[in-house]
């Protein structure tokens, strides 16, 4: 039972890490785009409407980057929690392997029951939800990637 909980936590962590990778790929492109808009916004060779557009787009790009960074933080927190669960389970497994008395068995059993009662262990439903959320995230990131590429072309066309 402990080993299956460890496996679920590892699977959950891997999915969350994959989500971070999906976001970071878009963040790289978006950062390049934001820099392009910042440069355009400070250009003296562009018209006032072009500078206004570049300023707005730089602000939008920056806000999107901040939003994505917040999402990455949430995924990192979830991974940290899963890693902590794995550590608790591995510690309990280690204790179980080194029992020398009935009292040791009772202590490990009580500690495991207490850990289970906390309800903090990753469940199969958590893994399923994480996978579904990642699928949704991948669709969102594909759309954002397309928008970023289009905006990059627009920014580059300004020639600032």
């Amino acid at each position: 039972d402990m080993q299956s909980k460890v496996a679920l936590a590892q699977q959950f962590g891997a999915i969350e890490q994959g989500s971070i990778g999906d976001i970071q790929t878009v963040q790289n492109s978006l950062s390049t785009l934001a820099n392009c808009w910042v440069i355009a916004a400070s250009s003296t060779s562009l018209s006032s409407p072009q500078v206004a557009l570049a300023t707005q787009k730089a602000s939008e790009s920056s806000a999107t980057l901040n939003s994505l960074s917040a999402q990455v933080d949430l995924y990192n927190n979830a991974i940290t929690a899963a890693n902590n669960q794995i550590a608790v389970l591995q510690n309990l497994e280690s204790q179980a392997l080194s029992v020398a008395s009935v009292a040791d068995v009772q202590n490990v059993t009580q500690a495991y029951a207490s850990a289970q009662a906390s309800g903090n262990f990753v469940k199969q439903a958590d893994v399923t939800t994480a996978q579904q959320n990642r699928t949704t995230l991948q669709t969102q990131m594909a759309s954002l990637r397309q928008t970023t590429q289009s905006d990059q072309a627009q920014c580059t066309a300004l020639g600032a």
Side-chain angles (χ1 to χ4, degrees), residues 11-12 14-16 19 22 124-138:
Q11 188 177 5
F12 176 83
I15 294 167
E16 300 293 86
S19 295
D22 297 336
Q124 182 60 53
D126 298 322
V127 172
T128 301
T129 298
Q131 186 59 59
Q132 291 168 342
N133 290 345
R134 182 168 184 211
T135 299
T136 300
L137 176 70
Q138 287 172 325

Side-chain angles (χ1 to χ4, degrees), residues 16-75:
E16 300 293 86
Q17 188 62 51
S19 295
I20 289 172
D22 297 336
I23 292 171
Q24 287 175 332
T25 297
V26 174
Q27 279 180 310
N28 291 335
S29 301
L30 197 55
S31 179
T32 300
L33 174 62
N35 288 335
C36 181
W37 287 125
V38 166
I39 291 167
S42 63
S43 174
T44 56
S45 64
L46 298 179
S47 68
S48 292
Q50 289 173 320
V51 168
L53 172 68
T55 300
Q56 175 191 344
K57 292 287 194 172
S59 177
E60 290 171 2
S61 297
S62 178
T64 302
L65 275 169
N66 289 338
S67 173
L68 292 175
S69 291
Q71 281 184 271
V72 168
D73 290 344
L74 291 173
Y75 286 118

